Amino acid sequence: MIVVMSHNAKKEHIEKVMNRLKKEGFDLHLSQGVSRAIIGIIGDKARLAGLAIEAMPGVEKVVPILQPFKLAGWDFKPEETVVEIVPGVEIGGKQVHVIAGPCAVENEEQIISVAKEVKAAGATLLRGGAFKPRSSPYSFQGLEETGLKLLAQARRETGLPVVTEIMDVRNLPLVAEYADVLQVGARNMQNFFLLKELGQVDKPVILKRGPSATIEEWILAAEYIMSAGNHKVILCERGIRTFETYTRNTLDLSAVPAVKHLTHLPIIVDPSHGTGKWRMVQPMSRAALAAGADGLMVEVHCSPEEALSDGQQSLTPENFREMMRELNSLAQALGREVTGGTL
Amino acid sequence: MIVVMSHNAKKEHIEKVMNRLKKEGFDLHLSQGVSRAIIGIIGDKARLAGLAIEAMPGVEKVVPILQPFKLAGWDFKPEETVVEIVPGVEIGGKQVHVIAGPCAVENEEQIISVAKEVKAAGATLLRGGAFKPRSSPYSFQGLEETGLKLLAQARRETGLPVVTEIMDVRNLPLVAEYADVLQVGARNMQNFFLLKELGQVDKPVILKRGPSATIEEWILAAEYIMSAGNHKVILCERGIRTFETYTRNTLDLSAVPAVKHLTHLPIIVDPSHGTGKWRMVQPMSRAALAAGADGLMVEVHCSPEEALSDGQQSLTPENFREMMRELNSLAQALGREVTGGTL
Amino acid sequence: MIVVMSHNAKKEHIEKVMNRLKKEGFDLHLSQGVSRAIIGIIGDKARLAGLAIEAMPGVEKVVPILQPFKLAGWDFKPEETVVEIVPGVEIGGKQVHVIAGPCAVENEEQIISVAKEVKAAGATLLRGGAFKPRSSPYSFQGLEETGLKLLAQARRETGLPVVTEIMDVRNLPLVAEYADVLQVGARNMQNFFLLKELGQVDKPVILKRGPSATIEEWILAAEYIMSAGNHKVILCERGIRTFETYTRNTLDLSAVPAVKHLTHLPIIVDPSHGTGKWRMVQPMSRAALAAGADGLMVEVHCSPEEALSDGQQSLTPENFREMMRELNSLAQALGREVTGGTL
Amino acid sequence: MIVVMSHNAKKEHIEKVMNRLKKEGFDLHLSQGVSRAIIGIIGDKARLAGLAIEAMPGVEKVVPILQPFKLAGWDFKPEETVVEIVPGVEIGGKQVHVIAGPCAVENEEQIISVAKEVKAAGATLLRGGAFKPRSSPYSFQGLEETGLKLLAQARRETGLPVVTEIMDVRNLPLVAEYADVLQVGARNMQNFFLLKELGQVDKPVILKRGPSATIEEWILAAEYIMSAGNHKVILCERGIRTFETYTRNTLDLSAVPAVKHLTHLPIIVDPSHGTGKWRMVQPMSRAALAAGADGLMVEVHCSPEEALSDGQQSLTPENFREMMRELNSLAQALGREVTGGTL
């Protein structure tokens, strides 16, 4: 951390700042420039963050220098993390996994048929929401426990492990009983109590990026889960909120190489929420793969126009098969693999 | 809602869309233009939102026309809502209330002394966090129940009603026992399970705007609380996330007249989080008042540079007194009142 | 500037960076921490900005410390700048000036009548566009020289100095012949050739903030004009582009105290473009004044629904008079003055 | 366009709006719902945009329905546009072109050597700035005419056509004399006078997206050039400004399929400015290609750490060769071609 003093800071201001930091046990370097003094601080970055140095008289601003996360960073663990979902399904390795399924579980026929379709096309995990976060209280809120049971049935019939969202900390035991992977939605990325609880569960967690979260804040949210004990965290880019209104969100694919540079955690991409338009899912899936993503999460519905939520961004099974064929040939050119499928 | 068909949509596409909507019971108007057809839909807007018309073949886009909220809107209730906190303290009327206190409760001496200071300067409610949402798991997380007890003690000693944040739905009974007003933080604005629970509590709720929430989404979050039974909702603008980095957030004061135009609910402004810099709290408090805010929420700390969180945006008691003097004369010019104070 | 080396930078990388900087004549401070080295640099900030230190091997990132502007900053000039428009009209002093008029000059009757209305209500400058920047090539582009002549006529009939936009550097002599103040529109804030030319003109310049310009970039744009010789620059906040769609832009009133803290230049606010809705102009004008603005720029049209551009954000003369009455009483409470008017 | 009347609009308000629109020659459809009236308008969209219907009493809001551009849209021209740069070099066809070179032309040795390197690696056009838009007036502003001459020399020595930026309308004859393609920088995307002049030049134009321009505004900027006569427009995505600070801009690759859906114009991507970090150029180039881009524009410098501008985002020739090898194999998998190169 660097403390920049204002150009009219008095000597006593500088001393007061330095004394406070020394008292806290930090090593300091004072650079007295022509126009102002700058104090460099060396020591435990986490503890430093808590001090309100900017509130001290004579201080112009405080500039952070180092990443504020530990367990998620390369300094802590120099090899890439590979998260095992079930034996044989690992996210973060050579194989790129495609997680597919409907936005929401609606009924038995719907989830079973779509599960079979996506499995046949090469998906290796099934997604489906039983609890649905909706902007309006008047929209469909999900089948809840019934939805979880239908997901378990779809898993029995297809063998696909199940990814589903956990919205409320009180439902954690229930959802964890049925799910193979617990998903934290974008709106809950900084629901810190939920993150702490997920740190104590022995299940992989997919942590979606909040719509206005910086990459750093997102990794800090992963750090919440990790520092509570669960290191099986998979990051998921799903678009950020910008001024552009043509797409539902702006899919930030730069986050893929950025996350790879900053952490050892795997990252997947959700082009369905990231764009909000089914026509864009195919090209953006290809782009995500080419950018280096370890997986994709895609919404598929047997009849999108009948979907109870997010139909406008869901692929039909036919579109999904076409997408998988494209991804297969692309993966080869990139030295990776998109498995599965009996096509 | 308006459905715009693509310029190459076939007659059968148009018919299919119209048949589906008629089946759902909506009245329709078809406008066949030179280049494309447009279908206008009249009926229950809430139910319409759930249909995935955009996923139907031949559809270019769907354009919403009406506000998606009901209870919060003027159509439902044509008089301004005034929320009684305790007898004699009402937010939404002529009087502008100033809620002041530290970001976090730290210890007895701290909270009692600051409570007395802000009361003396004219604050009519005390704020203080017992549970703190922090980006980093390594930052101070709040005193929890001990903090709540200290707030209750400060209320006894000063008579000021207490505003504090509820972060986890499991703590609701505990927090509601101590607080006069429950605050939902920006990061929890779309924690829908929490909102639904707050709808069943007989306490006023301050609902902070999420950092990337549109005004419409924010009012819809209020609608979650209201539709579950609690109509005592106070909106709080606290800055949105933009590209500007000089301020912590961009305080969107336009939200004040916008909210007044769209809803009957009262709105207050938090210039401390909204700017992140104590130097800006005074001018932005004046601006919020002039824009028509019904109250202000301001961080005050007896020694900001020792604060365990957000010291850089906290006023000293002296600065706070100066701010209150300014607001008093400003309020008169605006035909309002900022009460209290023995100054 | 601070250079942060990556945690696996080799000793030779550090030496190479330091040698390069020494060769350029900078004083350096090396801080060797536990996990990485940090190099502090002292010297001419402007020259430093041109070096691509981040491209050198072993460098993690470069963190700027100081403001990159000189002439606009308090270090260079410790008193507030007051810009004289014509004798007796000074922006930046105690008096708050209101610049009012139509978005575009449309015809003689329109500009003369509105000029008389705004003068009577207390405006001290007249605005009106002769060259209009429009997103679509099919929208009205302005009356060009005819418009300038009509503005001059309105000045003769009312005595109000004239503010008008300069869009194209080739028109500068023409526009400067008629205008008392040259306005640079938001889209041209970084039209550097235009800025350099304005630096050589002896007329005050109103520099609007670009829709995605940080406060720092905006002040640097002022620095372009100032470094070319013209120090009569007035900054104008007119809203930035964010995700919010209810308003046309998000008026960033925090920019007022921010600009006052960073520079000695005066700042005015344009709530018409800043909100895009005439209903919001009144409250946001009050808020801008309370935040400390030195002036306001407001669109007024005698029949907004007939306006050739921006009618939806224009006040009627009646609304404008009401606004001026409000501002007058507000200004008194703030220790300032909004002059003029025969009301 | 749809006019939504407010819920308390009177009958006479509705009639006044309808009469005005009828007088202007539009066909109307009135839908009288339970809570409010909605008026649908059919007719020339361009002319409609100029009316300030929102300013009329009783109007809640006006909702645009159709795209506001004509010449750039599929309605006007149903085949993809292929822009011929020089015989044999066509952007918009099967072949994906890579435009490479330094940010700025610095001297003869620099531009010639880098031109040879990028040609050898497979680039088919050379980029290099002679006029440089820089945020600070104290940064290197380009070699101007000398730079143009050096670009011409590099073209003679390598055969590569030259792309360079036109910043000032007064320099257009000069720049057009030397350049094969004229580039409009992001900051000039809405410099409407420049766009109109470019419409009268018989040279292809690369139009960069403004940092806060929506896709629609960007296409409207192309429409300015096209409506003035020049249809050889190539769009270039180079990142938009968002809250994320890890990258210089947020590269919006969704713009690629969006532009393909909305227009017949070709689109290329600039991952150097789009990310601001050389480490991210390779993965984002792959992603752009996979998303469907017709070309790439990449900064290459023989010694990036010595570059006079943008060194931190420039590839070395070695990195560039590696990137080209990757793009070649990727292009094959996608059914496209990245040509050239003697590697």
Side-chain angles (χ1 to χ4, degrees):
Chain A
M1 205 158 72
I2 302 291
V3 179
V4 182
M5 303 300 295
S6 66
H7 79 284
N8 52 12
K10 296 187 189 125
K11 210 184 150 195
E12 68 212 55
H13 293 149
I14 300 172
E15 279 167 7
K16 210 174 159 196
V17 171
M18 293 190 72
N19 288 340
R20 171 131 197 259
L21 288 164
K22 276 181 199 156
K23 212 177 63 186
E24 300 275 349
F26 294 106
D27 278 347
L28 307 179
H29 283 249
L30 175 67
S31 303
Q32 184 66 59
V34 184
S35 71
R36 66 196 74 200
I38 289 168
I39 304 166
I41 309 170
I42 294 167
D44 179 13
K45 54 196 170 185
R47 203 156 47 78
L48 248 168
L51 304 175
I53 301 297
E54 268 189 23
M56 298 185 74
V59 174
E60 173 78 24
K61 63 176 170 176
V62 174
V63 184
I65 297 295
L66 299 178
Q67 309 301 347
F69 40 87
K70 296 178 184 174
L71 305 176
W74 290 106
D75 288 13
F76 177 76
K77 176 166 178 287
E79 312 91 40
E80 294 202 333
T81 289
V82 175
V83 177
E84 190 190 68
I85 308 298
V86 295
V89 177
E90 292 180 336
I91 294 183
K94 189 186 177 191
Q95 194 182 328
V96 176
H97 287 276
V98 179
I99 305 168
C103 179
V105 181
E106 296 172 14
N107 56 55
E108 181 180 336
E109 196 278 329
Q110 174 241 23
I111 188 67
I112 302 297
S113 63
V114 80
K116 287 179 177 169
E117 290 277 11
V118 300
K119 157 110 181 179
T124 43
L125 293 101
L126 175 67
R127 64 149 289 153
F131 298 92
K132 296 302 307 168
R134 303 302 296 272
S135 298
S136 167
Y138 308 118
S139 299
F140 175 58
Q141 309 271 321
L143 295 184
E144 309 196 346
E145 189 167 0
T146 306
L148 294 173
K149 286 181 177 161
L150 291 174
L151 283 169
Q153 184 185 337
R155 173 174 50 201
R156 279 193 305 275
E157 299 199 18
T158 60
L160 294 177
V162 159
V163 180
T164 200
E165 181 166 349
I166 170 74
M167 280 179 67
D168 183 1
V169 75
R170 295 171 303 181
N171 291 331
L172 186 49
L174 180 70
V175 178
E177 190 187 326
Y178 291 99
D180 298 290
V181 185
L182 296 161
Q183 175 186 322
V184 179
R187 293 176 180 90
N188 268 325
M189 192 202 84
Q190 291 191 319
N191 184 333
F192 299 119
F193 277 81
L194 178 58
L195 299 179
K196 286 176 192 172
E197 292 289 336
L198 288 168
Q200 295 174 41
V201 172
D202 185 26
K203 295 258 179 186
V205 175
I206 289 179
L207 179 65
K208 288 199 156 188
R209 182 180 182 181
S212 62
T214 62
I215 292 169
E216 187 177 295
E217 290 167 339
W218 183 23
I219 300 176
L220 274 172
E223 189 88 9
Y224 259 95
I225 301 172
M226 297 173 85
S227 65
N230 183 355
H231 287 219
K232 290 185 277 188
V233 179
I234 299 156
L235 298 167
C236 179
E237 163 65 31
R238 46 73 76 195
I240 56 173
R241 183 153 268 188
T242 71
F243 62 83
E244 178 60 69
T245 55
Y246 183 78
T247 43
R248 180 172 176 178
N249 292 288
T250 295
L251 191 66
D252 179 13
L253 289 183
S254 307
V256 175
V259 159
K260 293 278 179 199
H261 184 66
L262 294 169
T263 88
H264 51 80
L265 297 172
I267 175 168
I268 66 174
V269 171
D270 173 350
S272 303
H273 286 87
T275 64
K277 292 188 188 293
W278 67 267
R279 276 187 198 92
M280 302 179 85
V281 172
Q282 245 168 287
M284 296 315 283
S285 287
R286 294 193 309 258
L289 182 57
D294 297 306
L296 292 163
M297 175 126 77
V298 174
E299 290 188 359
V300 180
H301 196 287
C302 290
S303 47
E305 72 267 28
E306 305 285 341
L308 294 179
S309 78
D310 283 351
Q312 72 286 352
Q313 68 193 34
S314 297
L315 296 180
T316 59
E318 191 185 337
N319 293 145
F320 181 66
R321 282 192 298 271
E322 192 184 317
M323 182 189 107
M324 290 301 287
R325 276 190 295 267
E326 285 182 353
L327 292 181
N328 266 303
S329 65
L330 201 60
Q332 279 172 18
L334 293 160
R336 299 192 81 164
E337 255 171 43
V338 176
T339 26
T342 54
L343 300 175
Chain B
M1 203 158 71
I2 302 290
V3 179
V4 183
M5 303 300 295
S6 67
H7 78 283
N8 53 12
K10 296 186 188 129
K11 209 182 150 195
E12 69 212 55
H13 292 150
I14 300 173
E15 279 168 6
K16 211 174 157 196
V17 171
M18 293 189 72
N19 287 340
R20 171 129 197 261
L21 288 164
K22 276 181 198 156
K23 212 178 63 187
E24 300 276 348
F26 293 106
D27 279 346
L28 306 179
H29 284 250
L30 175 67
S31 304
Q32 183 67 59
V34 184
S35 72
R36 66 197 71 202
I38 288 168
I39 304 166
I41 309 170
I42 293 168
D44 178 14
K45 54 197 168 182
R47 202 156 48 77
L48 248 168
L51 304 174
I53 303 297
E54 268 189 22
M56 297 185 74
V59 174
E60 173 78 22
K61 63 176 170 177
V62 173
V63 184
I65 296 296
L66 298 178
Q67 307 303 348
F69 41 86
K70 295 179 183 173
L71 306 175
W74 290 106
D75 289 14
F76 177 78
K77 175 166 179 287
E79 312 91 39
E80 294 202 334
T81 289
V82 175
V83 177
E84 190 190 68
I85 307 297
V86 296
V89 178
E90 292 182 337
I91 294 183
K94 188 187 178 193
Q95 193 182 329
V96 176
H97 287 275
V98 179
I99 305 167
C103 179
V105 181
E106 296 172 15
N107 56 57
E108 181 180 334
E109 197 280 328
Q110 175 241 22
I111 187 68
I112 302 298
S113 62
V114 80
K116 287 179 177 169
E117 290 277 10
V118 301
K119 159 109 180 180
T124 43
L125 293 100
L126 175 67
R127 63 150 289 153
F131 297 92
K132 296 303 306 170
R134 304 301 296 272
S135 299
S136 166
Y138 308 118
S139 300
F140 175 60
Q141 309 271 322
L143 294 184
E144 310 197 344
E145 189 167 0
T146 305
L148 295 172
K149 286 181 177 162
L150 292 174
L151 284 169
Q153 185 185 337
R155 173 175 47 204
R156 279 193 306 275
E157 300 199 16
T158 59
L160 295 176
V162 158
V163 179
T164 200
E165 181 165 350
I166 170 74
M167 281 179 66
D168 183 2
V169 76
R170 294 170 305 181
N171 292 331
L172 185 49
L174 179 70
V175 178
E177 191 187 325
Y178 291 98
D180 297 291
V181 184
L182 295 160
Q183 175 187 323
V184 179
R187 295 176 178 91
N188 268 326
M189 191 202 85
Q190 291 191 318
N191 183 334
F192 300 119
F193 277 81
L194 178 59
L195 299 179
K196 287 176 192 172
E197 292 291 337
L198 288 168
Q200 295 173 40
V201 173
D202 185 26
K203 294 259 178 183
V205 175
I206 290 179
L207 179 65
K208 288 200 154 186
R209 182 181 183 182
S212 62
T214 62
I215 292 170
E216 186 177 296
E217 288 166 340
W218 182 24
I219 300 175
L220 274 172
E223 188 89 9
Y224 259 95
I225 301 172
M226 297 173 85
S227 64
N230 183 355
H231 286 221
K232 290 185 277 189
V233 179
I234 299 155
L235 298 167
C236 179
E237 163 65 28
R238 46 74 74 196
I240 56 173
R241 184 154 266 190
T242 70
F243 62 82
E244 179 58 68
T245 54
Y246 183 78
T247 42
R248 181 174 176 176
N249 293 287
T250 295
L251 192 65
D252 179 12
L253 289 183
S254 307
V256 175
V259 158
K260 292 278 178 198
H261 184 66
L262 294 170
T263 88
H264 51 79
L265 297 173
I267 176 169
I268 66 173
V269 171
D270 174 350
S272 303
H273 286 87
T275 64
K277 292 189 190 295
W278 67 266
R279 274 187 201 91
M280 302 178 83
V281 171
Q282 245 168 289
M284 296 314 284
S285 288
R286 295 193 307 259
L289 182 59
D294 296 305
L296 292 162
M297 174 127 76
V298 174
E299 290 188 0
V300 180
H301 196 288
C302 291
S303 47
E305 72 267 26
E306 305 285 340
L308 294 179
S309 77
D310 284 351
Q312 73 287 351
Q313 69 193 33
S314 297
L315 296 181
T316 59
E318 190 186 337
N319 292 144
F320 182 66
R321 283 192 298 271
E322 191 185 318
M323 181 188 107
M324 291 301 289
R325 276 191 294 266
E326 285 181 352
L327 292 181
N328 266 305
S329 65
L330 202 59
Q332 279 172 17
L334 293 160
R336 299 191 83 165
E337 253 170 46
V338 177
T339 25
T342 53
L343 300 175
Chain C
M1 205 159 70
I2 301 291
V3 179
V4 183
M5 303 299 296
S6 67
H7 78 285
N8 52 11
K10 294 186 189 129
K11 210 183 149 193
E12 70 213 54
H13 293 149
I14 300 171
E15 278 168 7
K16 213 175 158 194
V17 171
M18 293 189 72
N19 287 340
R20 172 131 197 259
L21 288 164
K22 276 181 199 156
K23 212 177 64 187
E24 300 275 350
F26 294 105
D27 278 345
L28 306 180
H29 284 251
L30 175 66
S31 303
Q32 184 67 59
V34 184
S35 70
R36 68 196 71 203
I38 288 167
I39 304 165
I41 308 170
I42 294 166
D44 178 13
K45 55 198 170 181
R47 203 159 45 79
L48 248 169
L51 304 174
I53 302 296
E54 269 189 22
M56 298 185 73
V59 174
E60 173 79 24
K61 62 177 173 178
V62 174
V63 184
I65 297 295
L66 298 178
Q67 308 302 348
F69 41 86
K70 296 178 186 175
L71 305 176
W74 289 105
D75 289 13
F76 177 77
K77 175 166 179 287
E79 312 88 42
E80 295 202 333
T81 290
V82 175
V83 176
E84 190 190 67
I85 308 299
V86 295
V89 178
E90 293 181 337
I91 294 183
K94 189 188 177 190
Q95 194 182 328
V96 176
H97 287 275
V98 179
I99 305 166
C103 179
V105 180
E106 298 171 15
N107 55 58
E108 181 180 333
E109 196 281 329
Q110 174 240 23
I111 188 67
I112 303 298
S113 62
V114 80
K116 288 178 177 169
E117 289 278 11
V118 300
K119 158 110 180 177
T124 43
L125 293 101
L126 175 67
R127 62 150 290 154
F131 297 92
K132 297 301 307 168
R134 304 301 297 271
S135 298
S136 167
Y138 308 118
S139 300
F140 174 59
Q141 310 270 321
L143 295 183
E144 309 195 347
E145 189 167 358
T146 307
L148 294 172
K149 286 181 177 160
L150 292 173
L151 284 169
Q153 183 184 339
R155 175 174 47 203
R156 279 193 305 275
E157 301 201 16
T158 60
L160 295 177
V162 158
V163 180
T164 200
E165 181 165 350
I166 171 73
M167 280 180 67
D168 183 1
V169 75
R170 295 170 303 181
N171 292 332
L172 186 49
L174 179 71
V175 178
E177 191 187 325
Y178 292 99
D180 298 290
V181 185
L182 296 160
Q183 175 187 321
V184 179
R187 296 176 178 91
N188 268 326
M189 191 202 84
Q190 291 192 317
N191 185 333
F192 300 118
F193 277 80
L194 177 59
L195 299 180
K196 287 175 192 172
E197 292 290 337
L198 288 167
Q200 295 173 41
V201 173
D202 185 27
K203 294 259 178 183
V205 175
I206 290 180
L207 179 65
K208 288 200 157 187
R209 180 180 183 182
S212 62
T214 62
I215 292 170
E216 187 177 295
E217 288 166 341
W218 183 23
I219 300 175
L220 274 171
E223 188 90 8
Y224 259 94
I225 301 171
M226 298 173 84
S227 65
N230 183 354
H231 287 220
K232 290 185 275 187
V233 179
I234 300 156
L235 298 167
C236 178
E237 163 65 30
R238 46 73 75 197
I240 57 173
R241 184 154 266 188
T242 70
F243 62 83
E244 179 59 70
T245 55
Y246 182 78
T247 42
R248 181 174 175 177
N249 292 288
T250 295
L251 191 66
D252 179 13
L253 289 184
S254 307
V256 175
V259 158
K260 292 279 178 198
H261 184 66
L262 294 170
T263 89
H264 50 80
L265 297 172
I267 175 168
I268 65 173
V269 171
D270 173 350
S272 303
H273 287 88
T275 64
K277 293 189 188 293
W278 67 266
R279 274 187 200 93
M280 301 178 86
V281 171
Q282 243 167 289
M284 296 315 284
S285 288
R286 295 193 307 257
L289 182 57
D294 296 306
L296 291 162
M297 174 127 77
V298 174
E299 290 187 0
V300 181
H301 196 287
C302 290
S303 46
E305 71 267 26
E306 306 286 341
L308 294 180
S309 77
D310 284 350
Q312 71 287 350
Q313 69 193 32
S314 297
L315 296 181
T316 59
E318 190 185 338
N319 293 144
F320 181 66
R321 283 192 296 272
E322 191 184 317
M323 182 188 105
M324 290 301 288
R325 277 192 292 267
E326 285 182 352
L327 292 181
N328 267 303
S329 65
L330 201 60
Q332 280 172 16
L334 293 160
R336 299 192 81 163
E337 252 170 46
V338 177
T339 25
T342 54
L343 300 176
Chain D
M1 203 159 72
I2 302 291
V3 179
V4 183
M5 302 300 294
S6 67
H7 78 284
N8 52 11
K10 296 189 187 123
K11 209 182 152 195
E12 70 213 54
H13 293 151
I14 300 172
E15 278 167 6
K16 211 174 159 196
V17 172
M18 293 188 74
N19 288 340
R20 171 128 197 261
L21 289 164
K22 275 180 198 154
K23 212 179 62 187
E24 300 275 347
F26 294 105
D27 278 347
L28 306 179
H29 284 251
L30 176 66
S31 303
Q32 182 67 59
V34 184
S35 71
R36 66 196 72 202
I38 288 167
I39 304 165
I41 308 168
I42 293 168
D44 178 13
K45 55 196 167 183
R47 203 159 45 78
L48 247 168
L51 305 173
I53 302 296
E54 269 188 24
M56 298 185 74
V59 174
E60 172 79 25
K61 63 176 171 178
V62 174
V63 184
I65 296 295
L66 299 178
Q67 308 302 347
F69 41 86
K70 295 178 184 173
L71 306 175
W74 290 106
D75 289 13
F76 177 77
K77 176 167 178 287
E79 313 92 40
E80 292 201 335
T81 290
V82 175
V83 176
E84 191 189 67
I85 308 298
V86 295
V89 178
E90 292 181 336
I91 294 183
K94 188 187 178 190
Q95 193 181 328
V96 177
H97 287 275
V98 179
I99 305 167
C103 179
V105 181
E106 296 171 17
N107 56 57
E108 182 181 335
E109 196 279 328
Q110 176 241 21
I111 188 67
I112 303 297
S113 62
V114 80
K116 288 178 177 169
E117 290 277 9
V118 301
K119 158 110 178 178
T124 44
L125 293 100
L126 175 67
R127 64 150 289 155
F131 297 91
K132 297 301 308 169
R134 304 301 297 271
S135 298
S136 167
Y138 308 117
S139 300
F140 175 61
Q141 311 270 322
L143 295 184
E144 310 197 347
E145 188 166 1
T146 306
L148 295 172
K149 287 181 177 160
L150 292 174
L151 284 169
Q153 184 185 338
R155 173 174 50 202
R156 281 193 305 275
E157 299 199 16
T158 59
L160 295 176
V162 158
V163 179
T164 200
E165 181 163 350
I166 170 74
M167 278 180 69
D168 183 2
V169 77
R170 296 170 303 180
N171 292 331
L172 186 48
L174 179 71
V175 178
E177 191 188 325
Y178 291 99
D180 297 289
V181 185
L182 296 160
Q183 176 186 322
V184 179
R187 293 176 180 89
N188 268 326
M189 192 201 84
Q190 291 192 318
N191 184 333
F192 300 119
F193 278 79
L194 178 59
L195 299 179
K196 287 174 191 171
E197 292 290 336
L198 288 168
Q200 296 174 42
V201 173
D202 185 27
K203 295 261 178 182
V205 175
I206 290 180
L207 179 65
K208 288 200 157 187
R209 180 180 184 182
S212 62
T214 63
I215 292 170
E216 187 176 295
E217 289 166 340
W218 183 24
I219 299 175
L220 274 171
E223 189 90 7
Y224 259 94
I225 301 172
M226 297 173 84
S227 65
N230 183 355
H231 286 220
K232 289 186 278 189
V233 179
I234 299 157
L235 298 166
C236 179
E237 162 66 29
R238 46 73 76 197
I240 56 174
R241 183 154 268 188
T242 70
F243 63 82
E244 179 61 67
T245 54
Y246 183 78
T247 43
R248 182 173 174 178
N249 292 288
T250 295
L251 191 67
D252 179 14
L253 289 183
S254 307
V256 176
V259 158
K260 292 277 177 198
H261 184 67
L262 295 169
T263 89
H264 51 79
L265 297 172
I267 175 168
I268 65 173
V269 171
D270 174 350
S272 303
H273 286 87
T275 64
K277 292 188 189 294
W278 68 267
R279 277 187 199 93
M280 301 179 85
V281 171
Q282 244 168 288
M284 296 316 284
S285 288
R286 294 193 309 257
L289 182 58
D294 296 306
L296 292 163
M297 174 126 76
V298 173
E299 290 187 0
V300 181
H301 196 288
C302 290
S303 46
E305 71 267 27
E306 305 287 339
L308 293 179
S309 79
D310 283 352
Q312 72 288 349
Q313 70 193 32
S314 297
L315 296 180
T316 60
E318 190 185 336
N319 293 144
F320 182 66
R321 283 192 297 271
E322 192 185 316
M323 182 188 106
M324 291 301 288
R325 275 190 295 266
E326 285 181 354
L327 292 180
N328 267 304
S329 65
L330 201 60
Q332 279 173 18
L334 293 160
R336 299 192 82 165
E337 254 170 45
V338 177
T339 27
T342 54
L343 300 176

